[in-house]
Amino acid sequence: MGYNPDSAIETKCVQAGWQPKNGEPRVLPIYESTTYKYDTSAEMAKLFDLEPGYMYTRLANPTNDAVANKIACLEGGVGAVLTSSGQAANFFALINILGAGDHIVSSATIYGGTFNLLNVTMRKIGVDVTFVDPRASEEEINAAFRDNTKAMFGETIANPSLDVLDIEKFAKIAHSHGVPLIVDNTFPTPINCRPFEFGADIVTHSTTKYMEGHASTIGGCVVDSGNFDWYQNDKFPGLTTPDESYHGVTYAKDFGKNGYIVKIVAQLLRDYGPTPSPFNSFLLNIGLESLAVRVERHCENAQKVAEYLEKNDKIAWVNYPGLKSSKDYELAKKYLPHGTCGVISFGVKGGREKAEQFMNSLKLAAIVTHVADARTCVLHPASSTHRQLSDEELTECGVTPDLVRLSVGIENVNDIIADIENALKAI
Ligand SMILES: *Cc1c(COP(=O)(O)O)cnc(C)c1O
């Protein structure tokens, strides 16, 4: 092993996951194979009893597994599974433990895609959701829970409102109702925050963002802390009673702490099928190797850009949890003491029109529907990612019409600031 459990996270980024045996390739190979060969039918049959091994890449693949194991190691979880997108990861994290007739309590300030997933698509399949203001009191949030509530959801740093989640408060509330807290940790990455250390039970990622880091590959991941006791009540029959579609396996009993992840693999990947390509997982792994270095630079640059914007008189407001003026500065100090993320949101004086003019005048920062990669980029959420939402829903998500989302890259910060300065001069 190139690392041990006490190794620092920078070491795990490089060394965890693929552990070659004597004579095997040093670098994680791309097992671009749909299927796996066995000498006898009897050996193959064992796999259908969910014994360890590979049968078909829709369920499991050695390249994908090595990368999932690296992410589990970075988050401090017992297991993880990769999905073909962050959307699939959040859907799986939830649908793995609930179904029609059930209910979710979610922070209202979450990614637009996840908001739609919960607010529209999950409702269509009979899953109800109540959105809560994450800043509301415990009493108010408690009031959102029902007998059929099965999970609580939030984002460590919300995209794009950048609200910092009070993870301990949410975990305490979720646990008092006997349900797990699921936290989307995409923006901080485990370099800056490991939600399990504050009581979260399940962590999800859009690996598309900082983890892959180069805007080349869509992907997602679900990580289990192994800490949630699925037997504490009768809310989770999918884990605590036999699965007839797998000849009676009981995931939380037969697989112990791995039951939640095994169920995603054996049941959800099998039936829904959003498995990542091994080639994409190979690229994700290369991204993960430099994650710690990149995240540090993203945060350092973003802090400087945020401080620059705050002093500029053409800027109406700046929201960055690393700024003392941020409403979440104290929460960020507690949960993200080494840095928050590279994303800043701000308003240009003159509203929507000036914001668009400013964006069109940028040269280095490109207008793209992306965030959190090596290149500085910029987006106007109200007219793009959050376009489907009404003004009321926009405000609920913490997205104002004048909000510009700037994703600060790892270029030299002086060049990034010069680009912004020139664009501001042009308006
Ligand atoms: C991008 C994003 C997602 C969706 O991930 P995809 O990989 O685009 O499917 C989910 N949550 C957050 C916080 C995101 O930023």
Side-chain angles (χ1 to χ4, degrees):
M1 285 242 286
Y3 72 102
N4 63 61
D6 296 329
S7 296
I9 197 149
E10 294 86 348
T11 306
K12 290 174 178 168
C13 281
V14 179
Q15 299 279 349
W18 174 245
Q19 303 291 322
K21 295 185 200 71
N22 191 39
E24 284 186 342
R26 179 63 191 97
V27 174
L28 170 66
I30 306 169
Y31 286 92
E32 196 74 24
S33 181
T34 59
T35 191
Y36 306 84
K37 178 200 170 282
Y38 290 92
D39 289 340
T40 64
S41 294
E43 278 177 89
M44 169 88 77
K46 285 186 197 156
L47 298 167
F48 288 83
D49 288 335
L50 293 179
E51 285 197 13
Y54 296 97
M55 57 163 125
Y56 192 57
T57 283
R58 175 162 20 89
L59 281 86
N61 169 281
T63 307
N64 294 351
D65 279 0
V67 183
N69 289 341
K70 176 179 281 190
I71 295 174
C73 176
L74 295 178
E75 286 288 3
V78 294
V81 58
L82 298 186
T83 55
S84 58
S85 71
Q87 284 298 114
N90 280 325
F91 178 61
F92 273 12
L94 290 161
I95 207 74
N96 199 36
I97 49 169
L98 50 79
D102 289 336
H103 173 252
I104 300 162
V105 175
S106 172
S107 163
T109 56
I110 52 171
Y111 175 65
T114 312
F115 190 85
N116 274 330
L117 170 68
L118 299 179
N119 195 41
V120 180
T121 304
M122 296 282 274
R123 286 191 204 278
K124 276 188 197 159
I125 58 171
V127 178
D128 205 0
V129 58
T130 303
F131 292 105
V132 295
D133 175 353
R135 259 177 268 281
S137 68
E138 281 185 34
E139 297 71 52
E140 279 175 87
I141 298 176
N142 275 325
F145 281 78
R146 305 176 191 162
D147 289 345
N148 61 343
T149 304
K150 297 292 174 72
M152 194 178 195
F153 184 87
E155 292 175 6
T156 315
I157 302 179
N159 176 9
S161 72
L162 304 178
D163 284 8
V164 177
L165 188 70
D166 190 341
I167 301 172
E168 282 181 353
K169 176 174 95 172
F170 263 50
K172 183 178 162 214
I173 294 170
H175 296 160
S176 76
H177 294 276
V179 306
L181 173 62
I182 302 174
V183 172
D184 181 331
N185 196 35
T186 296
F187 267 23
T189 81
I191 303 302
N192 282 343
C193 180
R194 289 172 297 280
F196 296 154
E197 293 172 5
F198 301 102
D201 302 286
I202 309 290
V203 157
T204 60
H205 281 281
S206 166
T207 62
T208 315
K209 313 295 166 51
Y210 291 116
M211 281 193 163
E212 192 277 331
H214 302 77
S216 74
T217 307
I218 304 274
C221 187
V222 183
V223 192
D224 185 9
S225 66
N227 293 334
F228 193 81
D229 174 12
W230 304 105
Y231 281 100
Q232 65 186 272
N233 51 42
D234 57 5
K235 281 176 183 275
F236 307 102
L239 282 157
T240 58
T241 63
D243 175 5
E244 291 318 325
S245 78
Y246 247 115
H247 42 71
V249 70
T250 301
Y251 294 103
K253 180 163 133 264
D254 298 344
F255 297 97
K257 285 191 181 304
N258 292 318
Y260 174 91
I261 294 293
V262 172
K263 179 169 180 284
I264 290 184
V265 171
Q267 201 181 64
L268 303 185
L269 278 177
R270 180 195 64 185
D271 295 352
Y272 289 98
T275 309
S277 137
F279 180 69
N280 284 2
S281 300
F282 172 83
L283 294 176
L284 169 58
N285 187 52
I286 290 182
L288 288 168
E289 288 180 1
S290 63
L291 182 68
V293 183
R294 286 184 291 103
V295 163
E296 195 180 314
R297 176 64 72 86
H298 278 291
C299 293
E300 193 184 302
N301 282 357
Q303 184 70 31
K304 288 181 184 156
V305 172
E307 285 168 12
Y308 163 82
L309 287 169
E310 200 167 39
K311 288 199 206 96
N312 194 297
D313 59 12
K314 288 193 176 171
I315 301 297
W317 54 269
V318 183
N319 179 19
Y320 182 66
L323 287 177
K324 286 215 173 69
S325 61
S326 160
K327 60 190 182 321
D328 286 339
Y329 183 70
E330 291 304 320
L331 282 174
K333 262 200 339 204
K334 172 174 179 180
Y335 292 108
L336 306 140
H338 305 299
T340 55
C341 65
V343 183
I344 302 169
S345 61
F346 59 92
V348 180
K349 280 184 188 163
R352 188 186 274 250
E353 189 192 332
K354 290 283 179 198
E356 288 186 18
Q357 217 179 326
F358 160 75
M359 288 172 56
N360 296 345
S361 309
L362 290 165
K363 298 225 153 52
L364 183 137
I367 300 174
V368 298
T369 307
H370 197 251
V371 67
D373 75 86
R375 283 160 288 262
T376 296
C377 62
V378 71
L379 180 83
H380 185 234
S383 63
S384 55
T385 46
H386 288 61
R387 199 180 175 84
Q388 279 78 23
L389 305 189
S390 68
D391 276 2
E392 206 174 58
E393 287 170 334
L394 278 178
T395 315
E396 235 181 272
C397 293
V399 179
T400 51
D402 67 338
L403 185 151
V404 174
R405 185 182 75 184
L406 175 69
S407 175
V408 179
I410 57 174
E411 303 94 340
N412 186 298
V413 71
N414 296 329
D415 291 333
I416 300 170
I417 291 176
D419 188 42
I420 294 169
E421 192 151 280
N422 285 334
L424 286 173
K425 278 186 192 140
I427 62 172

